[in-house]
Amino acid sequence: MNFLNFFLLLCLISTTLCVPIIELPEESVDNSIDDDVQLLRWCSGWRVAGEANNLSPWNKIPENCVDYVQDYMLSRSYEIDLDIVCDEAMEFAKSVVVRDDGLDVWVFDVDETLLSNLPYYGQHGYGSELFDNIQFDKWVLEGVAQAVKPSLKLYKEVQQLGFKIFLLTGRTENKREITINNLIMAGFENWDRLILRGEEDHGKTAVAFKSEKRKAIMDEGFRIIGNSGDQWSDLIGSHVSMRSFKLSNPMYFIS
């Protein structure tokens, strides 16, 4: 073996022996994250998916998320979420040049948008029980629902800006008087129309019912500039507003 070959062999051996061994980390699970934290994250993700209208229709919240939904609905986080949406709606309303022909309209849903039924849902598992029309109607007839405060602030603001206020609710016509009284008690006054379900609307989905009513409003020449509701069914369908604002509500889903 000549000198050059011998030298190259020594270099190869030396390099092999001197290179440090690098161990790749094994795939691991963070055992420091306990089951409660994982559940909290999952329920939070479920709620966000619902608010983004990415969930398939559902009739009650997941059983393992009852505590999460309760904590959220009673927390400052829920209030902040409402504040953010209503503040954004207010800024949009201020950016609109309201015409002096009286045809610019802002539509509000009622339940969980203007009036809070949280005491009722608190007694019925925060959405973990199947919705009971009879029990809910009993609650409505008490007429004691309080205002959703950020919505009350928005309501007064858009009214002051000169918008017509139309209330479009899934409540039935036979609850008109108690709904009016409850709204006034909660601080909502001087709306221009209160539209409820009549007998001809029985059996219609919320999307179909509200789309038809918005069409009728527009057919009269009104322009629906804004629409506030806690359900996507308040906002989507046909004849939608220029801009819609979805308030948080993980307790129930209405199609």
Side-chain angles (χ1 to χ4, degrees), residues 160-231:
Q160 196 168 39
L161 289 170
F163 288 92
K164 297 288 186 184
I165 304 294
F166 285 13
L167 311 184
L168 177 53
T169 173
R171 292 188 178 194
T172 51
E173 188 64 45
N174 62 356
K175 297 180 183 63
R176 177 174 292 274
E177 184 177 356
I178 191 64
T179 300
I180 290 173
N181 292 339
N182 196 163
L183 284 165
I184 293 173
M185 180 273 292
F188 300 96
E189 298 179 328
N190 302 319
W191 58 83
D192 295 279
R193 291 190 190 179
L194 172 59
I195 304 169
L196 302 97
R197 280 184 183 261
E199 291 184 6
E200 70 279 7
D201 301 310
H202 179 73
K204 294 177 182 176
T205 65
V207 172
F209 164 67
K210 295 201 170 186
S211 292
E212 289 178 11
K213 297 305 180 183
R214 289 195 300 267
K215 178 181 184 301
I217 292 169
M218 290 182 177
D219 285 347
E220 291 183 53
F222 290 102
R223 297 175 293 272
I224 301 180
I225 306 301
N227 187 4
S228 297
D230 68 292
Q231 298 290 309

Side-chain angles (χ1 to χ4, degrees), residues 132-145:
D132 187 323
N133 284 299
I134 296 175
Q135 292 299 318
F136 184 71
D137 284 352
K138 289 180 180 178
W139 157 259
V140 168
L141 292 173
E142 292 180 23
V144 295

Side-chain angles (χ1 to χ4, degrees), residues 47 71-72 74-83 248:
R47 182 182 67 80
D71 291 344
Y72 171 74
L74 299 178
S75 73
R76 179 62 182 144
S77 294
Y78 172 59
E79 296 174 356
I80 290 172
D81 288 347
L82 297 179
D83 284 336
S248 179

Side-chain angles (χ1 to χ4, degrees), residues 65-192:
C65 292
V66 175
D67 289 342
Y68 168 82
V69 171
Q70 175 181 345
D71 291 344
Y72 171 74
M73 293 303 299
L74 299 178
S75 73
R76 179 62 182 144
S77 294
Y78 172 59
E79 296 174 356
I80 290 172
D81 288 347
L82 297 179
D83 284 336
I84 290 173
V85 174
C86 289
D87 287 348
E88 185 66 24
M90 199 175 302
E91 289 304 310
F92 168 70
K94 290 177 181 177
S95 74
V96 176
V97 178
V98 180
R99 302 185 198 179
D100 57 9
D101 57 7
L103 296 176
D104 289 325
V105 171
W106 198 287
V107 174
F108 286 93
D109 172 52
V110 173
D111 292 301
E112 270 57 67
T113 300
L114 298 184
L115 297 178
S116 172
N117 300 301
L118 190 54
Y120 169 83
Y121 286 101
Q123 294 174 1
H124 294 272
Y126 293 92
S128 61
E129 299 178 10
L130 291 175
F131 184 74
D132 187 323
N133 284 299
I134 296 175
Q135 292 299 318
F136 184 71
D137 284 352
K138 289 180 180 178
W139 157 259
V140 168
L141 292 173
E142 292 180 23
V144 295
Q146 299 298 307
V148 176
K149 291 182 180 179
S151 290
L152 178 58
K153 182 180 177 182
L154 172 63
Y155 178 99
K156 292 181 176 180
E157 181 71 27
V158 297
Q159 196 170 52
Q160 196 168 39
L161 289 170
F163 288 92
K164 297 288 186 184
I165 304 294
F166 285 13
L167 311 184
L168 177 53
T169 173
R171 292 188 178 194
T172 51
E173 188 64 45
N174 62 356
K175 297 180 183 63
R176 177 174 292 274
E177 184 177 356
I178 191 64
T179 300
I180 290 173
N181 292 339
N182 196 163
L183 284 165
I184 293 173
M185 180 273 292
F188 300 96
E189 298 179 328
N190 302 319
W191 58 83
D192 295 279

Side-chain angles (χ1 to χ4, degrees), residues 31-49:
N31 293 321
S32 64
I33 302 177
D34 61 24
D35 292 342
D36 289 341
V37 174
Q38 295 283 19
L39 178 60
L40 177 66
R41 290 177 176 177
W42 188 90
C43 291
S44 177
W46 173 84
R47 182 182 67 80
V48 171

Side-chain angles (χ1 to χ4, degrees), residues 20-36:
I21 298 174
I22 301 175
E23 294 185 3
L24 295 176
E26 296 181 1
E27 185 176 350
S28 62
V29 177
D30 188 353
N31 293 321
S32 64
I33 302 177
D34 61 24
D35 292 342
D36 289 341

